[in-house]
Amino acid sequence: MDLVSTPRPLFFDWFLTEFCGKFSARFPMGALHKFDQPAHVPTHADVPELRGAELASVYYGHRMGGDFYDFVRVGPNRVLFGLLDVAGGLEDTRDIVSAAQSTFRTAGAELFARHDMNEANAMMELCLQLNQAVLKAADGVRSCPAFAGCYDESLGIVCYFNAGHTPGLTRDRKGISELPATGLPLGLFSHMISNASVVALEPGAVLLLASRGIVEGKRKSEEFGLERVKEALQQSKGASAKEHCVSVLDQMQQFMHTAPTHNDVTTLALARKGE
Protein backbone atom coordinates (compact mmCIF):
# COMPACT_ATOMS: atom_id res chain seq x y z
CA MET A 1 0.00 0.00 0.00
CA ASP A 2 1.25 3.48 -0.82
CA LEU A 3 0.95 5.16 2.59
CA VAL A 4 1.77 8.58 1.19
CA SER A 5 -0.85 8.75 -1.54
CA THR A 6 -3.67 6.79 0.14
CA PRO A 7 -6.52 9.20 1.01
CA ARG A 8 -7.57 9.53 4.63
CA PRO A 9 -11.01 8.16 5.56
CA LEU A 10 -13.77 10.74 5.40
CA PHE A 11 -14.67 9.93 8.99
CA PHE A 12 -11.16 10.90 10.11
CA ASP A 13 -11.36 14.23 8.28
CA TRP A 14 -14.76 14.89 9.88
CA PHE A 15 -13.34 14.12 13.32
CA LEU A 16 -10.41 16.50 12.88
CA THR A 17 -12.69 19.26 11.63
CA GLU A 18 -15.32 18.89 14.32
CA PHE A 19 -13.11 18.25 17.31
CA CYS A 20 -9.43 19.01 16.80
CA GLY A 21 -10.16 22.44 15.41
CA LYS A 22 -12.06 23.37 18.56
CA PHE A 23 -9.74 22.20 21.32
CA SER A 24 -6.07 22.72 22.10
CA ALA A 25 -3.73 19.75 22.34
CA ARG A 26 -4.20 19.38 26.09
CA PHE A 27 -7.98 18.98 25.92
CA PRO A 28 -9.68 15.58 25.75
CA MET A 29 -11.94 14.61 22.89
CA GLY A 30 -15.53 13.58 23.42
CA ALA A 31 -16.74 10.24 22.11
CA LEU A 32 -17.25 10.13 18.38
CA HIS A 33 -20.23 10.84 16.14
CA LYS A 34 -23.54 9.80 17.71
CA PHE A 35 -21.75 8.82 20.94
CA ASP A 36 -21.01 12.45 21.91
CA GLN A 37 -20.11 13.03 25.56
CA PRO A 38 -18.99 16.19 27.35
CA ALA A 39 -15.25 16.74 27.35
CA HIS A 40 -13.42 16.62 30.66
CA VAL A 41 -10.56 19.07 31.21
CA PRO A 42 -7.48 17.56 32.86
CA THR A 43 -5.89 19.23 35.85
CA HIS A 44 -2.40 19.72 34.46
CA ALA A 45 -1.11 22.91 32.86
CA ASP A 46 -0.76 23.64 29.17
CA VAL A 47 1.52 21.45 27.10
CA PRO A 48 4.96 23.11 26.91
CA GLU A 49 5.99 24.38 23.49
CA LEU A 50 8.95 22.47 22.11
CA ARG A 51 11.65 23.51 19.69
CA GLY A 52 11.36 21.33 16.61
CA ALA A 53 8.78 18.96 18.10
CA GLU A 54 5.25 18.68 19.52
CA LEU A 55 3.60 16.92 22.46
CA ALA A 56 -0.09 16.08 22.76
CA SER A 57 -2.43 13.75 24.59
CA VAL A 58 -6.04 12.90 23.70
CA TYR A 59 -8.68 10.74 25.35
CA TYR A 60 -12.35 9.87 24.87
CA GLY A 61 -15.25 11.11 26.96
CA HIS A 62 -15.46 10.93 30.73
CA ARG A 63 -12.75 9.50 32.95
CA MET A 64 -13.73 6.09 34.33
CA GLY A 65 -10.48 4.88 35.84
CA GLY A 66 -6.99 5.95 36.82
CA ASP A 67 -5.37 7.03 33.54
CA PHE A 68 -3.23 10.11 34.16
CA TYR A 69 -0.88 12.06 31.92
CA ASP A 70 1.14 15.21 32.39
CA PHE A 71 3.90 17.34 30.90
CA VAL A 72 6.32 19.69 32.62
CA ARG A 73 9.38 21.61 31.45
CA VAL A 74 12.31 20.68 33.68
CA GLY A 75 15.11 22.65 32.04
CA PRO A 76 16.02 24.94 29.13
CA ASN A 77 16.26 21.94 26.78
CA ARG A 78 14.24 19.24 28.55
CA VAL A 79 10.55 18.42 28.90
CA LEU A 80 9.25 15.59 31.08
CA PHE A 81 6.13 13.66 30.04
CA GLY A 82 4.34 10.62 31.42
CA LEU A 83 1.32 8.33 31.15
CA LEU A 84 0.22 6.33 34.21
CA ASP A 85 -2.64 3.84 34.64
CA VAL A 86 -3.66 3.36 38.29
CA ALA A 87 -5.76 0.21 38.74
CA GLY A 88 -9.30 0.91 39.92
CA GLY A 89 -12.25 3.20 39.30
CA LEU A 90 -12.29 6.99 39.14
CA GLU A 91 -13.26 7.67 42.76
CA ASP A 92 -11.05 4.89 44.05
CA THR A 93 -7.96 6.29 42.33
CA ARG A 94 -8.49 10.04 42.76
CA ASP A 95 -6.13 10.48 45.73
CA ILE A 96 -3.49 8.21 44.16
CA VAL A 97 -3.54 10.14 40.90
CA SER A 98 -3.27 13.42 42.81
CA ALA A 99 -0.24 12.16 44.74
CA ALA A 100 1.39 10.84 41.57
CA GLN A 101 0.84 14.14 39.76
CA SER A 102 2.35 16.15 42.63
CA THR A 103 5.39 13.86 42.77
CA PHE A 104 5.79 13.84 38.98
CA ARG A 105 5.95 17.63 38.90
CA THR A 106 7.90 18.45 42.05
CA ALA A 107 10.38 15.58 42.01
CA GLY A 108 10.81 15.81 38.25
CA ALA A 109 11.70 19.50 38.42
CA GLU A 110 14.11 18.96 41.33
CA LEU A 111 15.88 15.93 39.88
CA PHE A 112 16.50 17.41 36.44
CA ALA A 113 17.57 20.80 37.78
CA ARG A 114 20.68 19.45 39.50
CA HIS A 115 23.99 20.60 38.02
CA ASP A 116 25.52 17.13 38.28
CA MET A 117 22.37 15.47 36.91
CA ASN A 118 22.68 12.20 35.01
CA GLU A 119 19.50 11.67 32.98
CA ALA A 120 19.31 7.90 33.44
CA ASN A 121 19.84 8.19 37.20
CA ALA A 122 17.28 10.99 37.41
CA MET A 123 14.68 8.89 35.58
CA MET A 124 15.26 5.90 37.87
CA GLU A 125 15.02 8.13 40.96
CA LEU A 126 11.79 9.63 39.62
CA CYS A 127 10.45 6.10 39.13
CA LEU A 128 11.33 5.24 42.74
CA GLN A 129 9.65 8.36 44.12
CA LEU A 130 6.52 7.81 42.03
CA ASN A 131 6.39 4.22 43.25
CA GLN A 132 6.59 5.33 46.86
CA ALA A 133 3.94 8.00 46.31
CA VAL A 134 1.52 5.43 44.84
CA LEU A 135 2.10 2.97 47.71
CA LYS A 136 1.62 5.66 50.34
CA ALA A 137 -1.52 7.16 48.79
CA ALA A 138 -3.02 3.70 48.22
CA ASP A 139 -2.09 2.65 51.78
CA GLY A 140 -0.96 -0.66 50.35
CA VAL A 141 -0.38 -2.46 47.07
CA ARG A 142 -1.96 -0.87 43.96
CA SER A 143 -0.75 -1.74 40.46
CA CYS A 144 0.15 1.33 38.42
CA PRO A 145 1.80 0.71 35.02
CA ALA A 146 3.68 3.85 34.00
CA PHE A 147 5.73 5.23 31.14
CA ALA A 148 7.71 8.43 31.66
CA GLY A 149 10.24 10.10 29.41
CA CYS A 150 12.40 13.19 29.28
CA TYR A 151 12.83 14.71 25.83
CA ASP A 152 16.05 16.59 25.09
CA GLU A 153 15.26 19.20 22.44
CA SER A 154 18.91 19.87 21.62
CA LEU A 155 19.71 16.20 20.89
CA GLY A 156 16.33 14.79 19.80
CA ILE A 157 16.56 11.92 22.30
CA VAL A 158 14.22 10.55 24.97
CA CYS A 159 15.46 9.01 28.20
CA TYR A 160 12.62 6.90 29.61
CA PHE A 161 11.43 4.13 31.88
CA ASN A 162 8.56 1.75 31.18
CA ALA A 163 7.24 0.34 34.45
CA GLY A 164 5.01 -2.48 33.20
CA HIS A 165 3.16 -0.21 30.77
CA THR A 166 1.93 -1.04 27.28
CA PRO A 167 5.04 -0.80 25.05
CA GLY A 168 5.78 2.64 23.72
CA LEU A 169 5.93 2.79 19.93
CA THR A 170 8.23 4.77 17.67
CA ARG A 171 7.71 5.36 13.97
CA ASP A 172 10.51 6.48 11.70
CA ARG A 173 11.84 5.72 8.21
CA LYS A 174 12.61 2.13 9.26
CA GLY A 175 9.05 1.45 10.44
CA ILE A 176 7.56 0.77 13.87
CA SER A 177 9.64 -0.22 16.91
CA GLU A 178 8.58 -1.16 20.44
CA LEU A 179 9.86 0.32 23.70
CA PRO A 180 9.09 -2.63 26.01
CA ALA A 181 8.85 -2.69 29.79
CA THR A 182 12.06 -1.96 31.68
CA GLY A 183 10.60 -3.00 35.04
CA LEU A 184 7.46 -3.96 36.97
CA PRO A 185 4.43 -1.66 37.46
CA LEU A 186 4.58 0.93 40.22
CA GLY A 187 2.74 0.29 43.46
CA LEU A 188 3.74 -3.34 43.99
CA PHE A 189 7.08 -3.32 45.86
CA SER A 190 8.46 -0.52 48.02
CA HIS A 191 11.98 -0.49 46.57
CA MET A 192 11.16 -1.33 42.96
CA ILE A 193 13.11 0.63 40.32
CA SER A 194 12.72 0.41 36.55
CA ASN A 195 15.85 0.71 34.44
CA ALA A 196 16.17 3.76 32.20
CA SER A 197 16.74 3.49 28.46
CA VAL A 198 17.38 6.00 25.68
CA VAL A 199 15.80 6.25 22.24
CA ALA A 200 16.81 8.71 19.51
CA LEU A 201 14.06 10.30 17.42
CA GLU A 202 15.19 11.26 13.94
CA PRO A 203 13.53 14.28 12.29
CA GLY A 204 9.96 13.31 11.34
CA ALA A 205 9.80 10.45 13.88
CA VAL A 206 6.91 9.89 16.31
CA LEU A 207 6.81 8.32 19.77
CA LEU A 208 3.32 7.13 20.75
CA LEU A 209 2.00 5.87 24.10
CA ALA A 210 -1.33 4.03 24.19
CA SER A 211 -3.15 3.16 27.40
CA ARG A 212 -4.23 -0.39 28.21
CA GLY A 213 -7.83 0.62 27.45
CA ILE A 214 -6.92 1.02 23.78
CA VAL A 215 -5.21 -2.35 23.47
CA GLU A 216 -8.08 -4.06 25.31
CA GLY A 217 -10.89 -2.44 23.31
CA LYS A 218 -13.07 -5.32 22.09
CA ARG A 219 -15.40 -6.21 19.25
CA LYS A 220 -17.25 -9.23 20.59
CA SER A 221 -14.41 -11.34 22.01
CA GLU A 222 -11.61 -9.93 19.84
CA GLU A 223 -9.31 -7.24 21.22
CA PHE A 224 -8.03 -4.28 19.22
CA GLY A 225 -4.55 -5.33 20.30
CA LEU A 226 -1.09 -3.80 20.07
CA GLU A 227 -0.61 -4.86 16.45
CA ARG A 228 -3.59 -2.75 15.36
CA VAL A 229 -2.20 0.18 17.34
CA LYS A 230 1.03 -0.23 15.36
CA GLU A 231 -0.90 -0.36 12.08
CA ALA A 232 -2.87 2.77 12.99
CA LEU A 233 0.33 4.66 13.81
CA GLN A 234 2.05 3.44 10.64
CA GLN A 235 -0.89 4.55 8.50
CA SER A 236 -1.44 7.88 10.26
CA LYS A 237 -1.17 10.83 7.88
CA GLY A 238 -1.24 13.33 10.72
CA ALA A 239 0.98 16.37 10.51
CA SER A 240 0.93 16.97 14.28
CA ALA A 241 1.25 15.00 17.51
CA LYS A 242 -2.46 15.52 18.22
CA GLU A 243 -3.46 14.14 14.82
CA HIS A 244 -1.43 10.98 15.42
CA CYS A 245 -3.26 10.50 18.73
CA VAL A 246 -6.64 11.02 17.08
CA SER A 247 -5.79 8.64 14.25
CA VAL A 248 -5.18 5.76 16.68
CA LEU A 249 -8.34 6.50 18.67
CA ASP A 250 -10.36 6.75 15.46
CA GLN A 251 -9.15 3.35 14.27
CA MET A 252 -9.99 1.76 17.62
CA GLN A 253 -13.51 3.25 17.62
CA GLN A 254 -14.15 2.04 14.09
CA PHE A 255 -12.94 -1.43 15.10
CA MET A 256 -15.27 -1.53 18.13
CA HIS A 257 -18.28 -0.02 16.28
CA THR A 258 -19.16 1.81 19.50
CA ALA A 259 -17.80 4.38 21.89
CA PRO A 260 -15.36 2.86 24.40
CA THR A 261 -16.88 2.49 27.87
CA HIS A 262 -14.80 -0.43 29.16
CA ASN A 263 -11.91 1.64 30.49
CA ASP A 264 -10.05 4.93 30.10
CA VAL A 265 -8.80 5.32 26.54
CA THR A 266 -5.77 7.60 26.24
CA THR A 267 -3.02 8.36 23.74
CA LEU A 268 0.08 10.51 24.12
CA ALA A 269 2.41 11.41 21.28
CA LEU A 270 5.74 13.17 20.84
CA ALA A 271 6.30 14.10 17.19
CA ARG A 272 9.60 15.51 15.99
CA LYS A 273 9.28 17.83 13.02
CA GLY A 274 10.95 16.88 9.75
CA GLU A 275 13.91 18.74 8.34
Side-chain angles (χ1 to χ4, degrees):
M1 177 184 293
D2 184 352
L3 298 180
V4 176
S5 61
T6 303
R8 292 187 302 194
L10 293 177
F11 185 87
F12 182 57
D13 287 331
W14 172 86
F15 187 92
L16 291 177
T17 300
E18 290 298 310
F19 286 89
C20 289
K22 298 179 181 178
F23 294 90
S24 69
R26 76 182 182 98
F27 279 70
M29 301 302 157
L32 298 178
H33 201 42
K34 65 180 180 180
F35 307 104
D36 289 335
Q37 298 178 17
H40 174 73
V41 181
T43 57
H44 58 70
D46 291 335
V47 179
E49 291 188 7
L50 303 182
R51 294 189 301 277
E54 289 183 332
L55 270 167
S57 190
V58 180
Y59 66 82
Y60 279 134
H62 293 294
R63 284 296 192 205
M64 293 172 285
D67 273 14
F68 155 70
Y69 63 88
D70 205 356
F71 319 90
V72 57
R73 180 168 286 282
V74 292
N77 300 313
R78 292 183 174 92
V79 171
L80 192 65
F81 62 91
L83 178 60
L84 286 70
D85 181 7
V86 184
L90 182 63
E91 293 302 320
D92 190 36
T93 60
R94 192 180 301 276
D95 290 344
I96 303 172
V97 168
S98 178
Q101 180 180 33
S102 177
T103 300
F104 183 84
R105 287 182 157 264
T106 57
E110 291 171 2
L111 289 167
F112 285 90
R114 297 174 182 173
H115 296 297
D116 58 346
M117 184 268 297
N118 175 284
E119 261 190 332
N121 290 339
M123 288 302 302
M124 289 189 288
E125 177 63 24
L126 176 62
C127 179
L128 178 61
Q129 292 195 33
L130 282 170
N131 181 56
Q132 294 172 343
V134 170
L135 284 166
K136 182 177 180 180
D139 194 24
V141 173
R142 180 67 65 92
S143 178
C144 177
F147 190 111
C150 184
Y151 178 63
D152 188 321
E153 296 165 296
S154 60
L155 300 176
I157 64 173
V158 177
C159 184
Y160 69 92
F161 69 78
N162 180 346
H165 197 273
T166 302
L169 301 176
T170 60
R171 189 191 78 179
D172 56 24
R173 289 174 293 180
K174 297 179 181 178
I176 303 291
S177 299
E178 291 188 20
L179 305 179
T182 60
L184 296 173
L186 307 179
L188 299 181
F189 304 100
S190 59
H191 297 291
M192 187 281 303
I193 298 178
S194 286
N195 292 326
S197 295
V198 176
V199 61
L201 300 180
E202 65 183 28
V206 181
L207 188 159
L208 180 94
L209 305 181
S211 70
R212 184 181 60 179
I214 293 176
V215 175
E216 295 180 350
K218 288 186 177 181
R219 180 176 61 198
K220 296 182 179 179
S221 61
E222 183 180 5
E223 289 189 346
F224 186 64
L226 185 62
E227 289 305 312
R228 287 190 176 90
V229 178
K230 292 180 181 179
E231 291 173 7
L233 177 60
Q234 182 64 60
Q235 296 171 11
S236 173
K237 304 301 188 298
S240 68
K242 180 167 59 176
E243 288 176 318
H244 291 304
C245 289
V246 171
S247 180
V248 172
L249 294 176
D250 176 53
Q251 290 299 315
M252 185 206 66
Q253 193 271 349
Q254 291 190 47
F255 169 81
M256 293 179 64
H257 298 309
T258 184
T261 58
H262 61 289
N263 200 346
D264 285 346
V265 173
T266 311
T267 52
L268 184 153
L270 168 62
R272 191 174 179 194
K273 298 176 181 178
E275 293 180 337

